[in-house]
């Protein structure tokens, strides 16, 4: 049994002679070629699979199957276009929506200058002189206001009852004296403190050069008429009329070197409210002993 097994084992063992090498070499090379080809095909297939996987990942990232939040991007207006927001705008854009195009800003309209206030008309002063009527009715001549001097004393007056009080005696240089021999008479029916009189010839006077009376009448922006009843005795009198706010001075002179002379000075004026018409009746030159100017009444309408 031992010898038989040894013979069989020798039969099955591959031969190692020169002939066996010649027949086995071509088979080995062919197998290597097939193996290398299979490896190359496997590597190429693997590379193709990797490329497809990378492409799928790339496409999946770019498609955004579900909406995602992202910060708003504000388009920058290209040169030459208007109405689009620029980088300085704080525009908020909803995801997936394009920012709305802003309407062009309206060009600013030229500002209309506010009308300048209308300047007040310049003051108007016109003075005329006339003879005094034999009897002056102060109630009729002064429906707005009137004042009479001399009836109750040198330093007292009678005024219109319920008058406006716009006639003011602002004093003057010289000592005042009353008299009762005026050439004309003055009457009224609405006085205070003397209610009425049929005609009084009283008045006041002041002597010597530079002495006189300073009177004022309020302005209200409308044309007003003032009547001044005054006179002189042996003197040259000077009447200066002006508006307190400025402007030219209107001057009238009256003279009598021998006796008394009276006049009705009518002043028509217009000045802004708050200003006053100023009347200064003074002795410009004394032409005798105690040459003087006199004052009887003022009426306003």
């Amino acid at each position: 049994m031992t010898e038989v097994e040894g013979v069989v084992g020798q039969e099955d063992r591959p031969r190692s002679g020169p002939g066996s090498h010649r027949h086995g070499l071509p088979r080995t090379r062919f197998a290597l070629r097939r193996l290398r080809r299979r490896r190359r095909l496997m590597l190429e297939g693997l590379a193709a699979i990797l490329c497809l996987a990378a492409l799928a990942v790339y496409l999946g990232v770019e498609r955004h199957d579900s909406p995602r939040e992202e910060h708003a991007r504000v388009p920058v207006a290209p040169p030459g276009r208007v109405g689009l927001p620029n980088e300085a705008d704080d525009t908020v854009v909803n995801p997936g929506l394009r920012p709305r195009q802003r309407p062009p800003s309206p060009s600013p309209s030229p500002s209309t200058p506010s009308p300048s206030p209308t300047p007040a008309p310049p003051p108007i002063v016109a003075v005329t002189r006339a003879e005094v009527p034999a009897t002056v009715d102060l109630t009729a001549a002064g429906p707005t206001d009137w004042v009479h001097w001399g009836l109750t004393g040198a330093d007292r007056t009678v005024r219109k009852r319920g008058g406006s009080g716009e006639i003011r005696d602002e004093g003057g240089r010289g000592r005042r004296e009353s008299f009762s021999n005026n050439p004309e008479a003055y009457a009224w029916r609405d006085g205070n403190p003397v209610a009425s009189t049929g005609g009084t010839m009283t008045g006041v006077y002041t002597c010597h050069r530079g002495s006189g009376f300073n009177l004022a009448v309020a302005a209200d922006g409308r044309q007003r008429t003032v009547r001044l009843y005054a006179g002189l005795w042996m003197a040259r009198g000077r009447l200066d009329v002006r508006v307190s706010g400025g402007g030219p001075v209107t001057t009238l002179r009256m003279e009598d070197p021998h006796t008394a002379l009276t006049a009705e000075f009518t002043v028509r004026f217009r000045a802004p409210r708050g200003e006053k018409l100023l009347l200064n009746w003074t002795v410009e030159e004394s032409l005798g002993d105690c040459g003087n100017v006199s004052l009887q009444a003022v009426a306003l309408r």
Side-chain angles (χ1 to χ4, degrees):
M1 288 297 293
T2 306
E3 292 178 355
V4 174
E5 291 174 356
V7 174
V8 174
Q10 292 177 359
E11 291 291 334
D12 296 335
R13 188 178 304 165
R15 297 179 180 181
S16 57
S20 63
H21 288 285
R22 285 194 298 268
H23 293 284
L25 182 60
R27 294 180 182 178
T28 301
R29 291 178 177 176
F30 180 75
L32 290 175
R33 289 177 181 176
R34 292 182 62 185
L35 181 60
R36 290 174 181 174
R37 183 177 179 183
R38 288 178 180 177
R39 288 179 179 177
R40 185 173 66 253
L41 293 175
M42 290 177 63
L43 291 175
E44 292 177 354
L46 180 60
I49 291 173
L50 291 176
C51 290
L52 291 175
L55 179 61
V57 172
Y58 175 78
L59 294 177
V61 171
E62 288 299 313
R63 288 180 60 186
H64 302 303
D65 295 334
S66 61
R68 60 178 181 175
E69 295 182 359
E70 58 185 18
H71 295 290
R73 297 181 180 179
V74 181
V76 179
R81 297 184 62 186
V82 296
L84 293 179
N86 52 34
E87 292 180 354
D89 290 334
D90 232 354
T91 309
V92 177
V93 182
N94 292 329
L97 297 180
R98 293 169 53 189
R100 293 182 179 180
Q101 183 178 3
R102 292 183 178 179
S105 301
S107 59
S109 57
S111 58
T112 303
S114 58
S116 57
T118 304
I124 297 175
V125 177
V127 185
T128 59
R129 170 188 163 186
E131 293 184 359
V132 182
T135 300
V136 177
D137 185 351
L138 291 178
T139 301
T144 302
D145 197 18
W146 61 260
V147 180
H148 182 270
W149 283 264
L151 179 62
T152 58
D155 297 323
R156 298 177 183 177
T157 60
V158 179
R159 302 191 65 101
K160 177 181 178 66
R161 184 177 62 251
S164 65
E166 294 172 300
I167 300 172
R168 299 295 180 87
D169 183 348
E170 298 189 343
R173 181 181 173 184
R175 179 181 176 180
R176 295 185 182 184
E177 298 287 349
S178 61
F179 68 99
S180 59
N181 59 346
N182 196 68
E184 296 84 28
Y186 295 85
W188 60 81
R189 299 173 300 280
D190 55 351
N192 183 36
V194 179
S196 63
T197 179
T200 177
M201 296 181 178
T202 55
V204 292
Y205 69 94
T206 181
C207 298
H208 308 303
R209 181 178 180 180
S211 298
F213 305 93
N214 299 329
L215 307 171
V217 180
D220 64 358
R222 300 173 298 174
Q223 180 169 307
R224 316 195 82 179
T225 300
V226 176
R227 286 184 169 85
L228 168 64
Y229 301 94
L232 53 81
W233 185 78
M234 297 182 66
R236 180 168 70 242
R238 171 174 172 165
L239 176 65
D240 294 321
V241 182
R242 63 185 178 89
V243 174
S244 61
V249 178
T250 302
T251 300
L252 275 73
R253 290 177 173 87
M254 186 172 71
E255 178 180 329
D256 193 320
H258 307 292
T259 187
L261 180 64
T262 58
E264 178 188 72
F265 297 100
T266 300
V267 183
R268 291 180 174 85
F269 79 101
R270 183 182 65 198
R273 183 181 296 275
E275 297 187 7
K276 297 183 294 184
L277 177 74
L278 303 178
L279 303 99
N280 304 110
W281 176 235
T282 59
V283 178
E284 186 174 54
E285 193 67 43
S286 176
L287 304 177
D289 185 21
C290 191
N292 63 73
V293 292
S294 62
L295 174 64
Q296 287 79 43
V298 177
L300 170 66
R301 81 165 45 243

